[in-house]
Amino acid sequence: MNLKRTFGAILTVLGIIGLIYAGIGVINHSGQVTTLIVVAIIAILFFFTGISLVRNTKDEA
């Protein structure tokens, strides 16, 4: 089991969930603007970090 690839997948899923949460908050005008911006920035970081971990980790048999 490749731990880096699994961790990358978890980060990617958390990033997607955070982006969806921020998007729903913006559409519904719920929550404060600063909170939604912080959540969106953290979600973007998680998403792109997870994607890069999955892409750059080589499979070892």
Side-chain angles (χ1 to χ4, degrees), residues 13-35:
V13 170
L14 285 175
I16 291 170
I17 291 170
L19 287 172
I20 290 171
Y21 175 77
I24 290 173
V26 167
I27 290 172
N28 292 335
H29 299 291
S30 63
Q32 293 182 349
V33 175
T34 56
T35 303

Side-chain angles (χ1 to χ4, degrees), residues 2-21:
N2 199 340
L3 192 60
K4 280 185 181 180
R5 192 171 285 256
T6 304
F7 188 60
I10 291 170
L11 282 176
T12 304
V13 170
L14 285 175
I16 291 170
I17 291 170
L19 287 172
I20 290 171
Y21 175 77

